[in-house]
Amino acid sequence: MKPIVVLGSGLAGYTLVRELRKLDGDIPITLVTKDSGDYYSKPTLSNAFAQNKEPGSLVLTPAKTMAEQQKFILLANTEVRAIHRAEKKLDTTACVIEYEKLVLAMGADPIRIPLQGDAANEVLSVNDLSDYARFRERLKDAESVAIMGGGLIGCEFANDLAHAGYKVSVIDPGPYPIAGLLPEEAGRQLLEPLQNIGVSWHFGKAAQRVDRSGQSFQLTLTDQTVISADVVLSAVGLRPRIQLAKDAGLSVNRGISVDERLQTSDEAIFALGDCAEINGQTMPYVLPIMHAARALSKTLGGSDAKAVFPYMPVVVKTPAHPIAVLPVPRDAPGSWKILEQGPGIKMGFFNPQDEMVGFALTGEYAKERNEMTARCAAKT
Amino acid sequence: MKVWQCVVCGFIYNEVEGLPSEGIAPGTAWADIPENWVCPDCGVAKSDFEMVEI
């Protein structure tokens, strides 16, 4: 019997394998990954520093143990060159593999904004464990870090590094922190608590140049402000990895296009996690991946299932001022209202029927996450 | 008393310490944590993931 082949060993790939094994102990599975295949939790990369975690200690389960426990064939350090859909074969750097069903769980690449200057290629991104190891190495002799991007990941890194004693500058062309998810009043709550632990904010401008200056770097911003930093980190967002799917002629948009069954335009091929776009939406967080993986495991196991997503709040790991948000789509009709304000802020997003369909909780209010999620769920 | 780890995010629950910030008293066994409890770090529900004993 030809195996189910999973491409990718991140949360998406491994959650799927785990769920599939729960349903079926015998179905052959092959996992192909371009890294080592060690299982680690990606969300911890942006808050591992304060806990003084060495990269190796972030590995929850080594690849070999995963393969033994979950009974799959592991092809680590292997890249896929092409998908030959007609023959249901993969051309990889190790060998040619036949598949019965193929699951694309390849994740996303960090977006790199074009920069000028002689140190533009010294800017780091942290998107996997080996990036994190490189980042840790650079931080050893550093005192200051400039972070390009004041979104969720940028703010988590800012909190983590400032807490560890680094002088942190955050640069973002937007108007306030985490503007992609939070309403302005909620995002602004982060300003002071992070400033108090050593973060300086530079909103409304972008980095233009990065130049070497002795042992450190000099960033020139669009308004000609100059910031010096020993390490420059880019955290401006992720772009789904779609090239392989595109080259194979699968339907792609921003991500690999799939329906609620996670099926691509080829019925033997599925996509899951950060590389997928489910009915037009990318869902790059932990909870949607868990739900989608569970549905897909059923479909692959033979009983057809659609991914159903409940209300899934996102927790921002900024201990200086905790945040929980149930985001709403950018074009959702309705408006944000302030419900309470005290140590932090509690806001709800109300649709035209005056039903709460989203929320933003900061500071002390972040604890009310479960209760607020239940309130949103109760109205339907 | 045991120590458990969330398979999704690596969050550690130590039964000895409990989670006073989430209203779980020190000494609470994993089995006695309510089913509607969610991982404080990644938000995955108790019923949705496995904590592994470490």
Side-chain angles (χ1 to χ4, degrees):
Chain A
M1 193 156 78
K2 286 189 278 182
I4 291 176
V5 177
V6 179
L7 300 192
S9 58
L11 182 70
Y14 271 146
T15 303
L16 175 73
V17 169
R18 243 191 236 116
E19 292 294 327
L20 197 52
R21 267 292 165 259
K22 278 188 212 163
L23 298 177
D24 189 330
D26 301 320
I27 196 167
I29 304 174
T30 299
L31 187 136
V32 185
T33 176
K34 73 175 173 129
D35 67 24
S36 68
D38 289 341
Y39 178 66
Y40 66 98
S41 164
K42 190 175 170 192
T44 52
L45 296 182
S46 49
N47 73 335
F49 205 82
Q51 297 162 28
N52 205 19
K53 289 222 173 130
E54 289 297 329
S57 71
L58 292 177
V59 173
L60 295 173
T61 316
K64 201 168 155 275
T65 314
M66 284 303 281
E68 284 164 9
Q69 281 174 355
Q70 305 295 336
K71 293 189 283 170
F72 59 84
I73 293 170
L74 173 71
L75 286 172
N77 307 306
T78 303
E79 293 209 44
V80 175
R81 292 200 197 100
I83 305 170
H84 301 298
R85 289 163 52 200
E87 301 93 60
K88 292 173 109 180
K89 279 181 185 167
L90 294 179
D91 178 17
T92 79
T93 48
C95 53
V96 173
I97 309 166
E98 288 189 296
Y99 63 84
E100 180 60 39
K101 298 268 166 38
L102 175 64
V103 179
L104 307 173
M106 302 165 299
D109 283 314
I111 294 174
R112 303 284 294 196
I113 55 170
L115 290 166
Q116 299 168 337
D118 62 15
N121 57 1
E122 298 288 333
V123 174
L124 301 176
S125 305
V126 176
N127 193 40
D128 60 33
L129 201 51
S130 54
D131 290 342
Y132 178 74
R134 207 168 307 130
F135 180 55
R136 282 290 299 245
E137 194 54 40
R138 291 270 202 100
L139 284 170
K140 270 186 185 152
D141 304 310
E143 286 172 6
S144 57
V145 183
I147 301 174
M148 293 160 45
L152 183 146
I153 298 294
C155 287
E156 288 188 348
F157 269 117
N159 195 148
D160 197 37
L161 295 168
H163 182 82
Y166 293 92
K167 190 174 155 285
V168 178
S169 307
V170 176
I171 303 137
D172 192 296
Y176 60 90
I178 321 185
L181 290 179
L182 295 175
E184 181 153 6
E185 295 88 338
R188 289 196 175 279
Q189 301 289 320
L190 260 189
L191 294 173
E192 211 183 294
L194 286 195
Q195 219 164 314
N196 291 343
I197 60 168
V199 174
S200 59
W201 301 104
H202 302 268
F203 284 105
K205 38 195 136 170
Q208 219 168 23
R209 304 181 58 90
V210 181
D211 293 284
R212 205 173 280 285
S213 159
Q215 289 301 303
S216 80
F217 302 109
Q218 213 170 55
L219 281 83
T220 311
L221 311 189
T222 38
D223 68 344
Q224 303 309 310
T225 311
V226 173
I227 296 173
S228 77
D230 301 328
V231 174
V232 185
L233 177 68
S234 173
V236 295
L238 294 173
R239 184 176 288 124
R241 291 181 177 137
I242 61 170
Q243 199 57 48
L244 185 67
K246 201 174 164 185
D247 292 345
L250 295 173
S251 160
V252 295
N253 187 28
R254 186 161 186 276
I256 302 167
S257 305
V258 296
D259 58 16
E260 62 279 0
R261 298 171 65 252
L262 292 318
Q263 195 171 48
T264 65
S265 51
D266 180 323
E267 61 173 27
I269 305 179
F270 299 80
L272 179 71
D274 287 4
C275 66
E277 181 178 312
I278 306 169
N279 286 335
Q281 269 205 298
T282 51
M283 302 174 121
Y285 300 105
V286 169
L287 286 179
I289 291 175
M290 303 292 289
H291 285 278
R294 207 162 296 133
L296 180 54
S297 67
K298 288 184 191 138
T299 298
L300 295 174
S303 56
D304 203 43
K306 291 177 178 175
V308 178
F309 299 103
Y311 285 102
M312 298 174 288
V314 176
V315 174
V316 186
K317 297 188 291 296
T318 44
H321 192 80
I323 293 178
V325 54
L326 180 62
V328 286
R330 213 170 286 258
D331 50 359
S335 58
W336 286 99
K337 285 178 197 159
I338 296 173
L339 302 174
E340 264 180 65
Q341 216 165 344
I345 199 165
K346 173 172 167 178
M347 297 181 71
F349 186 88
F350 294 83
N351 67 14
Q353 290 76 47
D354 209 32
E355 295 163 325
M356 189 167 71
V357 292
F359 60 75
L361 306 169
T362 88
E364 285 296 305
Y365 297 112
K367 288 182 187 151
E368 296 179 29
R369 177 184 73 208
N370 295 344
E371 190 193 318
M372 290 288 275
T373 307
R375 261 179 74 183
C376 288
K379 64 124 192 62
T380 40
Chain B
M1 293 276 107
K2 289 172 181 167
V3 176
W4 301 79
Q5 185 171 42
C6 172
V7 294
V8 174
C9 72
F11 173 80
I12 297 212
Y13 176 73
N14 187 329
E15 294 183 342
V16 174
E17 292 164 13
L19 262 181
S21 62
E22 301 259 319
I24 296 171
T28 304
W30 174 245
D32 293 333
I33 291 177
E35 287 305 310
N36 64 1
W37 180 83
V38 299
C39 172
D41 274 10
C42 68
V44 174
K46 185 186 175 191
S47 54
D48 278 348
F49 66 81
E50 304 127 63
M51 288 289 254
V52 292
E53 198 178 332
I54 56 170

